[in-house]
Amino acid sequence: MTGGTDATVPKIYGWCPGALRPMMSGDGLVVRIRAPLGRLSSQQARAIAALSLKHGNGLIDLSARANLQLRGVRESDLRDLIAALQDLGLVEQEATAEARRNALVTPFWQPNDTSHAIAVDLNAALTEATDLVLPGKFGFAVDCGIPLQLQNTAADIRLERSGADLLLVADGAQTGLPVQAAHAVEEAIALARWFLDQGGAPEGRGRMRPLIARRGPPPAHVAARATPTPQQGLGPTAIGRLVALEFGQISAHDFDMLAQLGPLRLTPWRMLLVEGVQDIAAQPGLILAATDPRLQVRACTGAPGCLQALSSTRDLARDLAPFVPEGALLHVSGWAKGCAHPGPAALVLTATAPDTFDLIHHGKAADQPLRETLSASALRAAPTILTEGS
Ligand code: SF4
């Protein structure tokens, strides 16, 4: 099975590829852009599309933290690319400030509303907090509108609405601390320091959730959180149209096309929100209909884009998408790490060799398989293999 050998034990890097600390992948450097407030003006977005074509391979990923990642960047081009991104106001001057500014805000913020005001202040406070050394993936979520949008999105410290109150919540806790908007940022920073003081990040790594599981939230965190609400789906919204990206990736050409329609908001759901627009022309890599079967598949970069991948993934996921039962999710993973979907899925194919996969039901990419060494061609020829034995 997948998890036993050195070749298949997932490597935990504990950090993400920032613009100032890019990561090498199978198709070149990956350069991450953390857009302030998750919004790009049309001019910024069009410039990014041009930079992707000039310095990268013309492919742009949208991550689960609502960051853009330019792929295939040549090492010799990195300096010019970073300088251009800094000119656009999209990259800090210094890597540690860039890493600390890890705050997500609901994509549906409006100018000067509570989410917007808090997110602006939080970004400024994190940039200035030079003594605050948090783990690379440690992040904040600002979700103060109605309805809540980020409850299912990974974050360590949350500022979220609960009825008339704002709550400060340590991830993993069912309760939080009521805070006034004017003090929300200082309370959030204090909670980050509490996390460090409690030993949440031994050796510089760690997340809030396991700490809360071990010792519970701070004693003053006793107010009930709001009942979970469904996340906004694909299609028209009050701000513009939400369009999904096949496998969370878009070509520079399509990105430029969307940017010509309006400013873009980046979501953590592999969707872009195009401001002020309700009609968007169909393109092969864009998903416009809620019934599109590609919404029921997740697939990581796979080979050749990922150095650790044992097989390509997305071509198979695309071919099998129409055969995934309604309401189920198929996760195709290049190996046991399961980057595209860390949680369990109804159907999982984990590569063990080129075009060879283990099949797992109701589990994660590294779980015990129901069937082993299925070839991609056999799966294509008889997609019912996927659900046999369910
Ligand atoms: S799960 Fe996919 S993207 Fe992640 S390391 Fe493995 S092959 Fe690469």
Side-chain angles (χ1 to χ4, degrees), residues 300-302 306 308-310 333-335 337-340:
C300 67
T301 301
C306 173
Q308 298 169 36
L310 300 174
S333 188
W335 70 308
K337 191 175 174 191
C339 292

Side-chain angles (χ1 to χ4, degrees), residues 104-169:
L104 260 178
V105 57
T106 171
F108 301 104
W109 59 266
Q110 297 277 12
N112 302 316
D113 71 4
T114 306
S115 293
H116 177 247
I118 288 178
V120 168
D121 289 349
L122 181 58
N123 278 332
L126 288 171
T127 303
E128 286 169 15
T130 52
D131 65 325
L132 187 62
V133 182
L134 292 166
K137 292 190 173 180
F138 194 95
F140 298 75
V142 181
D143 194 14
C144 305
I146 298 174
L148 296 179
Q149 295 291 339
L150 300 179
Q151 287 161 308
N152 295 322
T153 299
D156 296 273
I157 293 179
R158 301 172 184 278
L159 284 160
E160 66 182 28
R161 184 159 295 285
S162 179
D165 290 332
L166 286 185
L167 287 192
L168 174 68
V169 177

Side-chain angles (χ1 to χ4, degrees), residues 8-363:
T8 56
V9 174
K11 289 188 182 123
I12 309 295
Y13 288 105
W15 55 274
C16 299
L20 296 166
R21 206 165 52 164
M23 189 173 76
M24 183 55 77
S25 195
D27 52 0
L29 291 171
V30 178
V31 173
R32 185 194 60 209
I33 301 169
R34 188 173 273 167
L37 305 177
R39 181 180 188 270
L40 297 167
S41 67
S42 292
Q43 182 205 12
Q44 286 173 318
R46 295 202 69 190
I48 287 172
L51 289 169
S52 164
L53 289 168
K54 183 176 179 184
H55 300 296
N57 63 6
L59 294 175
I60 302 169
D61 288 340
L62 178 58
S63 81
R65 290 291 300 171
N67 296 316
L68 291 178
Q69 294 179 347
L70 304 191
R71 298 199 68 93
V73 174
R74 293 171 287 281
E75 287 185 74
S76 57
D77 285 38
L78 189 60
R79 182 190 293 253
D80 289 349
L81 172 61
I82 299 298
L85 292 172
Q86 286 174 333
D87 286 348
L88 290 166
L90 295 172
V91 174
E92 302 281 346
Q93 296 297 326
E94 197 234 323
T96 51
E98 176 79 16
R100 276 196 307 278
R101 193 170 53 78
N102 191 6
L104 260 178
V105 57
T106 171
F108 301 104
W109 59 266
Q110 297 277 12
N112 302 316
D113 71 4
T114 306
S115 293
H116 177 247
I118 288 178
V120 168
D121 289 349
L122 181 58
N123 278 332
L126 288 171
T127 303
E128 286 169 15
T130 52
D131 65 325
L132 187 62
V133 182
L134 292 166
K137 292 190 173 180
F138 194 95
F140 298 75
V142 181
D143 194 14
C144 305
I146 298 174
L148 296 179
Q149 295 291 339
L150 300 179
Q151 287 161 308
N152 295 322
T153 299
D156 296 273
I157 293 179
R158 301 172 184 278
L159 284 160
E160 66 182 28
R161 184 159 295 285
S162 179
D165 290 332
L166 286 185
L167 287 192
L168 174 68
V169 177
D171 189 47
Q174 298 308 311
T175 52
L177 175 73
V179 291
Q180 294 178 351
H183 301 296
V185 170
E186 66 188 66
E187 294 282 5
I189 300 279
L191 184 57
R193 296 191 191 282
W194 174 87
F195 164 80
L196 294 173
D197 291 344
Q198 295 294 318
E203 298 163 17
R205 285 187 179 159
R207 302 297 299 264
M208 183 67 88
R209 185 171 279 266
L211 176 70
I212 297 302
R214 283 201 304 276
R215 53 97 58 226
H221 287 224
V222 294
R225 297 177 69 181
T227 311
T229 47
Q231 174 206 305
Q232 174 73 46
L234 204 59
T237 77
I239 292 179
R241 189 174 185 98
L242 266 173
V243 49
L245 312 182
E246 188 190 60
F247 307 122
Q249 189 169 80
I250 187 169
S251 69
H253 172 269
D254 285 352
F255 198 70
D256 186 67
M257 183 272 291
L258 293 179
Q260 290 183 54
L261 300 176
L264 303 182
R265 296 198 185 190
L266 316 178
T267 80
W269 317 307
R270 317 272 200 236
M271 297 186 202
L272 293 171
L273 177 57
V274 189
E275 287 185 18
V277 169
Q278 297 303 350
D279 293 319
I280 294 174
Q283 301 290 338
L286 299 182
I287 300 175
L288 301 174
T291 52
D292 193 309
R294 292 172 294 175
L295 292 171
Q296 288 181 253
V297 293
R298 303 281 183 276
C300 67
T301 301
C306 173
L307 288 170
Q308 298 169 36
L310 300 174
S311 174
S312 63
T313 52
R314 292 180 173 173
D315 46 356
L316 180 63
R318 189 182 293 114
D319 289 347
L320 295 179
F323 304 98
V324 179
E326 192 177 340
L329 185 72
L330 167 65
H331 174 198
V332 183
S333 188
W335 70 308
K337 191 175 174 191
C339 292
H341 188 73
L347 305 167
V348 185
L349 290 169
T350 302
T352 55
D355 290 326
T356 306
F357 295 84
D358 283 353
L359 172 65
I360 296 141
H361 279 184
H362 303 288

Side-chain angles (χ1 to χ4, degrees), residues 330 347-350 357-361 368-374 379 385-388:
L330 167 65
L347 305 167
V348 185
L349 290 169
T350 302
F357 295 84
D358 283 353
L359 172 65
I360 296 141
H361 279 184
Q368 188 67 31
L370 183 70
R371 297 190 59 175
E372 298 183 40
T373 55
L374 292 164
L379 286 159
I385 292 172
L386 279 176
T387 49
E388 285 172 2

